[in-house]
Each structure stands twice: as structure tokens, then as C-alpha cells.
Amino acid sequence: MSKLKTTASAWLSKVFGDSLKPISESLTAEQYSQVVQGAENFLNSEGDEQGDGGEDPDGAEDPKNEDPGSTDPSDTDLQAQVTALTSQLDTVNADLAAEKKTHAETSAKLTAAQTALSAALDNNKKLRSAVNPVSDEDLSNKTAEKQTSGLTKTDIAAREAYKKRHPKA
């Protein structure tokens, strides 16, 4: 038989905690010694099955004794996974940096195009204003359904006056 790492009394105290004292007081000395002997037999049989002499006093598992049927990955497997994930992260970060640079270039082109468009619209407005100073402000309607679409109020008034003077036209 292997040597126990804990005594039966210590194990009983650990398992039963504060309730061990009422148990020991309610049992006779002979009954209590039978319980302790049963606990020692249990610990010895458990130690023989485990092959390590029983449970550790602190209840911690021995990290050197890994279960061969365990599905937990080993340290080398975890390190390989960390390395692979780090490599993927570096690749994604490089791709992201390239996209950020492309976005910045596209944004600069868009800003330049908006500036050029704004300047062209301002120039167009100045040219239209030079040709007909009241044309943009005086448009009565812009619908294509009416004959007066795109005409200024002055043009419409001039047409009405012409039609009054020339009814046959």
C-alpha cells in the first residue's frame, strides 16, 4: 500500500467541515473510530487506484500527470495557434493599412473634384448672369409641360402684350 498524503481525520475535516464536530460528539468512540477507519480504507483504495497515494491536501491536481485521453490542447499546440493567429492579424493589419491609404487617396480626389465642380458651377452662374442678368432669379417655372417653361416673368409679360396687340398671331 502507498503512503497517504493526508490523514483520515484531516480528510474528514476537509469533507465535512464544521459538521465533523457534531458527528464525532454524537457517535461513541468505537463508532467514530470505525468511521475514521472506513475513511482511511477509502483513501487507501482511492490512492491505489490513482497510483499517487491519495488526494493532495490542497485538492489541486498535479500538472505533471496529464490524462492521455484528455482533449485539452498542449502548450505547443496553443503556441502554434497563437503564432498562426498573430500572423493572420499582421496580414489583416497590413491589408487595412493599404485600404486606409487607398481611402485617403480617393478622398483627396473626391475633394479636388468637388472643388472643381463648385468652381465650374460658379463660373457657369457668372456666364449666365453676364448674358442675361435676370434670367436665373426671374424664372417663373421650369416645367416642360407649359409653353412658358423656362421663360422669365418679363418674357411672359412681353408675349401677353404681343398677343393683345396682334390677336391673329
Side-chain angles (χ1 to χ4, degrees):
M1 270 209 242
S2 60
K3 185 177 179 185
L4 290 176
K5 292 186 179 179
T6 64
T7 64
S9 298
W11 182 80
L12 286 171
S13 296
K14 178 181 170 186
V15 172
F16 291 106
D18 294 332
S19 63
L20 180 63
K21 186 173 181 183
I23 291 173
S24 67
E25 289 175 357
S26 64
L27 298 175
T28 64
E30 186 178 311
Q31 290 173 332
Y32 184 75
S33 68
Q34 286 177 350
V35 169
V36 170
Q37 183 62 38
E40 286 177 356
N41 290 340
F42 173 75
L43 290 173
N44 285 333
S45 67
E46 193 175 76
D48 290 341
E49 289 174 8
Q50 292 177 357
D52 64 355
E55 288 186 336
D56 289 341
D58 62 354
E61 292 184 19
D62 189 4
K64 295 178 228 165
N65 295 334
E66 288 186 17
D67 183 15
S70 175
T71 58
D72 292 340
S74 67
D75 288 344
T76 55
D77 291 340
L78 292 174
Q79 188 61 37
Q81 287 177 350
V82 167
T83 304
L85 291 173
T86 303
S87 173
Q88 288 177 353
L89 181 62
D90 291 342
T91 302
V92 169
N93 281 339
D95 291 345
L96 184 61
E99 286 295 323
K100 185 177 178 182
K101 182 180 177 184
T102 303
H103 176 71
E105 291 171 355
T106 304
S107 294
K109 288 178 184 178
L110 177 64
T111 303
Q114 286 174 334
T115 303
L117 178 63
S118 178
L121 289 175
D122 288 343
N123 190 29
N124 187 5
K125 188 174 182 180
K126 286 178 186 176
L127 290 174
R128 290 181 72 173
S129 181
V131 172
N132 186 359
V134 291
S135 65
D136 286 338
E137 296 89 25
D138 197 28
L139 288 177
S140 60
N141 55 27
K142 294 183 179 182
T143 60
E145 298 171 5
K146 298 181 180 180
Q147 288 183 335
T148 59
S149 88
L151 297 177
T152 63
K153 291 177 184 174
T154 307
D155 292 339
I156 294 171
R159 275 192 177 177
E160 295 297 322
Y162 180 82
K163 285 182 182 178
K164 284 182 184 177
R165 284 184 295 201
H166 300 87
K168 292 185 180 181

